[in-house]
Amino acid sequence: MSTLRAEQTEEAPLEDLDSFRERARTWIGANLRQVTMEELRWDRANVDEETELARIGREREIQRMLFDAGLAGICFPRAYGGQGLTPAHQRVLNEELVGYEYPRMLQVPTLSPCAAVILEFGTEEQKLRHLPAILKGEELWMQFLSEPSGGSDVAGALTTAVRDGDQWVLNGSKVWTTGAWWSDWGLCLARTNWDVPKHRGLTVFMLPIHQPAIEVHRIEMLNGSREFCQEFMTDVLVPDTDRVGAVDDGWSVGVRWMFHERMLHNSPFVTEAVGAKHSSMYAKVVHDMAVARGTLGDPTVRDLVGEARMLELVGDLLSQRVTESITTGRMSDQAAALVRLFKGSAQTRISTLAFDVSGSEGAAWDDDNVVLSAVNFLMRQAGSIGGGTTEMARNVISERVLNMPRERRLDKDVAFRDVPRGRPSQS
Amino acid sequence: MLVALSEDQAFFRETTARFLSEQAPPDAVRALRHDPTGFERDFWRRGAELGWTSLLVDEQHGGGSISGSGLVDLGLVAYEFGAHAAPGPLVATNVVAAALGAADTHRDVLATLMAGEAVATWCLPGIGAGPGRFETGFAVRREGETLIVRGEARPVEAAVQADHLLVTAEDSGGLSQLLVPAATPGVSVTPLCTVDLTRRYGAVRLDDVRVGPDALVGEAGHAGADVATQYLTTLALLNSESVGAMQSGFDMTVEWAFERYSFGRPLASYQALKHRFADMLSWLEASHAVADAACQAAAERSPEAEELASAAKAFIGQYGAELLQDCVQLHGGIGVTFEHDLHLYLRRLTVDRAMAGTPSEHRRHITGILDAGWGEAA
């Protein structure tokens, strides 16, 4: 976050928050469409391809409009197309966007972690080439991070990059890329040295997703969603100028990359319509369900509805507290794992609450809301898995925040090729 | 506690923390176990000198805040009270002092409360089903100028020690509030048993107690808004106090995990236990976050204050108890002994969780607020 502060001091004087709010409000009111709660519902499972692509197209368009209006990349430096403003300005924008359309799918992972990583580690040329394009909605980015061989053990990447003159040849497979089929670029962690310990043989690259050497396969999830993808890379050629950070020093990049990933929607680089007035996404669904079933008078149901709202409110407030604490240096960056853990656990609980409030109809239905509650119940753990499991968050909290002894590792001080591995993955 | 305190606030908090560490260490708290009052009057007077009783009263009445927001400042004191499981009628006295100051009445009583010479308490009504609704066990009727109050409330904090009782009563036009001296004929207070070592509760019964119109606090029949304010204040202070108790119990248990060895390893090295500490820290920080937000909102009387107060009370009551019980579990047998200090914080949190609405009552109260906001009647 220190880069942010430095940026602010050299640019004088900053637009004050009130006039920024006024400017944002006026522009949003005049240019963006208002959206209803229904449109914001948490499930996008049953959207067909054409609708999905149209939505992405519209999001790129809005991103461009925001860029032209001076409302894109609030915390990115002006030199790269951003506004050079502060997290407080981003928060104001977030508040003003409540109830309006905005490019939701262009935020994570494009702006954070991908653009955040490029900003932190990219060369001047890389930053000038990609950051303005990202802020204009021209480039959507994906994280080529997880692999079929291991989700949590990110540094155990098997995807290999071999140097060939002034370019690299990449082979391997990446997975859990949300919407790689409609995205443009991937930020890819690859192994460049098998003869040194795990963390010391990694390098980060950037590569265009749509090329003959990359096959993108869409994965169907329990809720019917086919947003997640797996990529198979066969002799993908990457020029050395598209390397991010030093050769074999990819883990320095990776550590910050994962920090930005854990920040999710708390990142000052991310726009998310959240009001100071604690707008509701999840509790409203549970409340609506009780209304629809006519059970809102039941004290047990009222208890469950109130619990959903409580968890939602507390989660938001915890995010704010941790973000503020990290910004002011009272907490280390690692404290972002507290939010990840809390929100993951709260979301799984809220899914259960919604399903319970749907009653026996949760088993079979003719109503869309109930479908949603049962399907979301099936998908309940996704909120505690995606973006880093809650177990990993617990490790980070206990070891990095509370400084408890680290887990013993069998992959330390051993050449990566000698690290014990399970059976090769089927895929 | 707040992420960022001003220098003055930090100094103020530190002063109270130091005073409590010196004057109310765990052994002193234990020693008050069988004391019917639960605190020393002199201790309370000295606390009043530190500002414990005047933060919610405006300057015109001799009070004043540190930061401009007296409730936020008092929240710091309440936090330290929880962190030390400290004795003293902090919540009870402050709520009454604030009510008297706001209504600009009973100035002589207010002065003695602020000086720590007298103690007062509010016979807390129950939390009602909908937003801004309360259920009181008292009713008032009139005989000429005389007001006759009847009813009961329990448990009432510091009722046995209180010199003055603030009573919320059903009146013809709505709620009225009266300040009744505890010595008034017809007032009876029965001490109740409790798990906290120093906090005392009583059952208050008013048997056709006759008082003059000068007993009124605020406008007769129109006390609804005042009651709501008092309730928010009470909840804010109980929540801050509970978070203080959680923090002390948690810190103590983290220290224990590093010092205690089993099978040649510190407890803190076991992943099964580390993960529980991670959960606890997320609940603790979440409790800080919601308690601070609720306190701030109550201080500003923002429209979301009531929802935040209930969210805080419900969350902290539920997860605070889980946290401290887990601390007991991680201590093992020593955690359930009287000689250990951990139970001091568990006791405080336990009574705070039960008072002014249980977690379940507050969750349902939140739903009542949602009904109102989203236009759906129950």
Side-chain angles (χ1 to χ4, degrees):
Chain A
M1 226 57 58
S2 53
T3 49
L4 276 183
R5 258 185 245 116
E7 191 59 38
Q8 288 154 27
T9 45
E10 49 185 67
E11 307 247 343
L14 280 183
E15 181 174 7
D16 75 75
L17 287 178
D18 289 337
S19 67
F20 177 76
R21 186 184 292 279
E22 195 47 47
R23 177 163 77 85
R25 182 175 298 173
T26 308
W27 187 86
I28 290 167
N31 292 283
L32 296 183
R33 193 170 59 84
Q34 282 186 292
V35 286
T36 62
M37 182 71 75
E38 297 304 315
E39 293 175 71
L40 291 172
R41 280 286 158 85
W42 39 349
D43 188 68
R44 299 193 298 264
N46 301 317
V47 172
D48 61 51
E49 209 161 292
E50 208 175 315
T51 315
E52 184 87 342
L53 286 175
R55 184 184 293 170
I56 299 299
R58 174 62 182 160
E59 295 212 345
R60 286 183 194 260
E61 199 177 301
I62 306 171
Q63 184 65 34
R64 178 66 205 220
M65 289 161 64
L66 287 166
F67 181 85
D68 292 338
L71 293 170
I74 300 298
C75 289
F76 283 87
R78 288 175 163 274
Y80 309 121
Q83 308 304 322
L85 294 170
T86 69
H89 290 85
Q90 181 64 57
R91 185 162 280 281
V92 167
L93 179 63
N94 291 349
E95 288 167 14
E96 292 303 323
L97 278 169
V98 172
Y100 289 91
E101 61 173 345
Y102 72 98
R104 278 202 295 161
M105 298 161 87
L106 272 59
Q107 304 301 325
V108 176
T110 295
L111 284 157
S112 180
C114 295
V117 167
I118 295 169
L119 177 63
E120 221 173 307
F121 293 94
T123 61
E124 194 58 21
E125 291 71 26
Q126 288 170 344
K127 288 191 269 192
L128 287 170
R129 177 176 171 203
H130 294 290
L131 294 178
I134 287 172
L135 295 177
K136 287 178 193 165
E138 290 164 4
E139 286 183 9
L140 303 192
W141 282 65
M142 285 295 128
Q143 311 183 71
F144 279 29
L145 191 61
S146 296
E147 298 195 2
S149 58
S152 295
D153 184 8
V154 173
L158 301 181
T159 291
T160 304
V162 177
R163 189 154 198 161
D164 180 14
D166 58 1
Q167 60 182 3
W168 295 82
V169 184
L170 271 68
N171 280 283
S173 179
K174 293 288 179 178
V175 73
W176 306 131
T177 44
T178 324
W181 64 278
W182 45 252
S183 298
D184 309 303
W185 282 81
L187 193 65
C188 181
L189 183 73
R191 184 156 308 279
T192 38
N193 190 342
W194 286 70
D195 297 318
V196 291
K198 179 167 94 170
H199 293 97
R200 286 184 240 150
L202 295 164
T203 306
V204 175
F205 299 93
M206 32 175 104
L207 43 85
I209 296 173
H210 302 289
Q211 52 170 301
I214 299 179
E215 186 194 324
V216 177
H217 166 72
R218 294 173 67 184
I219 301 168
E220 182 176 353
M221 306 296 281
L222 294 189
N223 59 358
S225 152
R226 296 183 66 219
E227 265 183 59
F228 284 112
C229 299
Q230 179 172 0
E231 296 77 31
F232 299 91
M233 294 179 278
T234 312
D235 294 335
V236 175
L237 300 181
V238 179
D240 190 51
T241 49
D242 283 349
R243 168 169 52 80
V244 182
V247 175
D248 290 351
D249 192 32
W251 194 241
S252 302
V253 182
V255 167
R256 292 293 298 165
W257 181 342
M258 257 155 291
F259 161 71
H260 288 296
E261 188 185 28
R262 275 195 299 272
M263 288 289 279
L264 281 174
H265 295 279
N266 291 307
S267 166
F269 300 120
V270 169
T271 295
E272 190 192 21
V274 268
K277 296 303 165 208
H278 308 300
S279 55
S280 176
M281 268 303 257
Y282 303 115
K284 181 83 166 74
V285 173
V286 183
H287 190 265
D288 286 353
M289 178 80 65
V291 173
R293 295 198 65 242
T295 54
L296 197 54
D298 179 340
T300 309
V301 169
R302 297 184 73 72
D303 198 333
L304 301 181
V305 172
E307 184 182 352
R309 179 63 174 157
M310 172 192 85
L311 289 171
E312 182 174 58
L313 275 174
V314 175
D316 282 353
L317 293 165
L318 175 65
S319 303
Q320 285 176 25
R321 176 181 176 84
V322 170
T323 307
E324 191 185 338
S325 298
I326 291 175
T327 312
T328 57
R330 195 189 137 266
M331 288 182 184
S332 82
D333 290 356
Q334 306 289 343
L338 287 166
V339 181
R340 196 279 163 274
L341 170 59
F342 189 94
K343 289 210 164 177
S345 309
Q347 259 172 37
T348 59
R349 176 64 186 155
I350 291 170
S351 301
T352 307
L353 294 171
F355 183 60
D356 280 351
V357 168
S358 68
S360 58
E361 287 173 29
W365 52 81
D366 51 18
D367 175 274
D368 270 353
N369 280 328
V370 186
V371 174
L372 246 126
S373 86
V375 169
N376 282 326
F377 182 71
L378 294 184
M379 283 293 284
R380 193 185 80 163
Q381 295 308 122
S384 290
I385 297 171
T389 63
T390 44
E391 282 71 23
M392 288 306 289
R394 288 183 177 98
N395 278 355
V396 171
I397 295 165
S398 53
E399 296 178 359
R400 308 297 183 85
V401 180
L402 291 169
N403 296 313
M404 290 180 162
R406 307 281 290 269
E407 285 304 302
R408 207 174 135 237
R409 284 172 23 203
L410 300 177
D411 56 3
K412 227 177 146 187
D413 305 324
V414 184
F416 186 71
R417 67 171 73 258
D418 298 327
V419 169
R421 265 187 290 282
R423 284 193 306 165
S425 160
Q426 292 166 355
S427 33
Chain B
M1 202 182 23
L2 292 174
V3 173
L5 295 180
S6 72
E7 219 166 281
D8 289 345
Q9 281 178 316
F11 179 77
F12 174 65
R13 187 197 65 78
E14 180 56 32
T15 307
T16 287
R18 204 175 324 116
F19 180 82
L20 290 176
S21 296
E22 286 163 10
Q23 303 299 318
D27 284 343
V29 170
R30 273 196 195 78
L32 288 165
R33 178 185 193 183
H34 299 299
D35 184 294
T37 307
F39 68 94
E40 309 270 358
R41 285 275 177 167
D42 185 54
F43 163 86
W44 187 243
R45 248 191 307 272
R46 291 172 63 195
E49 282 169 19
L50 296 180
W52 294 354
T53 51
S54 49
L55 291 162
L56 300 184
V57 179
D58 58 26
E59 285 175 13
Q60 168 201 341
H61 293 95
S65 68
I66 310 293
S67 66
S69 177
L71 185 57
V72 173
D73 299 334
L74 188 58
L76 300 174
V77 178
Y79 175 86
E80 291 303 330
F81 262 60
H84 291 83
L90 184 77
V91 181
T93 298
N94 273 296
V95 169
V96 178
L100 299 183
D104 193 15
T105 177
H106 299 88
R107 288 188 172 196
D108 48 338
V109 174
L110 180 56
T112 59
L113 294 181
M114 288 167 61
E117 286 158 11
V119 168
T121 190
W122 179 30
C123 300
L124 191 73
I127 188 163
R133 300 241 299 270
F134 305 95
E135 287 158 10
T136 178
F138 296 98
V140 61
R141 65 180 201 277
R142 284 170 173 73
E143 245 180 50
E145 283 277 275
T146 305
L147 301 163
I148 305 169
V149 199
R150 187 179 183 80
E152 52 194 343
R154 61 180 290 170
V156 175
E157 191 205 330
V160 182
Q161 304 93 321
D163 307 289
H164 307 276
L165 304 166
L166 179 62
V167 174
T168 303
E170 296 282 357
D171 202 345
S172 45
L175 294 175
S176 292
Q177 299 209 98
L178 306 108
L179 190 71
V180 179
T184 313
V187 174
S188 60
V189 177
T190 315
L192 300 172
C193 301
T194 183
V195 294
D196 195 89
L197 293 186
T198 63
R199 191 151 283 173
R200 300 290 174 260
Y201 298 90
V204 173
R205 188 181 158 84
L206 303 191
D207 208 358
D208 286 342
V209 170
R210 304 169 75 88
V211 290
D214 58 344
L216 282 167
V217 177
E219 204 185 331
H222 293 89
D226 298 339
V227 173
T229 301
Q230 288 159 216
Y231 221 95
L232 286 178
T233 303
T234 303
L235 290 173
L237 297 177
L238 290 177
N239 286 330
S240 295
E241 183 173 72
S242 294
V243 177
M246 289 168 72
Q247 184 76 55
S248 284
F250 179 77
D251 290 345
M252 180 179 281
T253 309
V254 169
E255 205 180 315
W256 166 256
F258 279 94
E259 285 168 3
R260 176 76 167 185
Y261 277 64
S262 291
F263 306 100
R265 293 164 59 176
L267 295 185
S269 71
Y270 289 93
Q271 193 177 42
L273 308 189
K274 283 156 65 179
H275 280 197
R276 282 162 66 178
F277 278 101
D279 283 330
M280 288 196 282
L281 186 59
S282 78
W283 303 337
L284 176 60
E285 288 298 331
S287 297
H288 275 285
V290 69
D292 289 347
C295 188
Q296 191 90 44
E300 292 165 0
R301 299 174 191 214
S302 87
E304 33 180 14
E306 188 174 359
E307 187 180 32
L308 286 173
S310 281
K313 189 66 168 62
F315 184 83
I316 293 166
Q318 180 183 347
Y319 288 88
E322 290 309 311
L323 182 147
L324 286 177
Q325 295 288 13
D326 224 21
C327 288
V328 171
Q329 176 70 22
L330 291 163
H331 270 84
I334 191 77
V336 281
T337 64
F338 192 76
E339 80 170 83
H340 201 273
D341 292 342
L342 185 56
H343 65 97
L344 303 180
Y345 313 108
L346 177 61
R347 287 170 191 275
R348 181 56 52 89
L349 184 118
T350 300
V351 292
D352 284 352
R353 166 180 155 125
M355 287 299 288
T358 63
S360 174
E361 285 173 309
H362 280 284
R363 288 193 296 264
R364 283 178 275 145
H365 193 71
I366 291 170
T367 305
I369 296 169
L370 297 182
D371 293 341
W374 292 334
E376 302 289 348

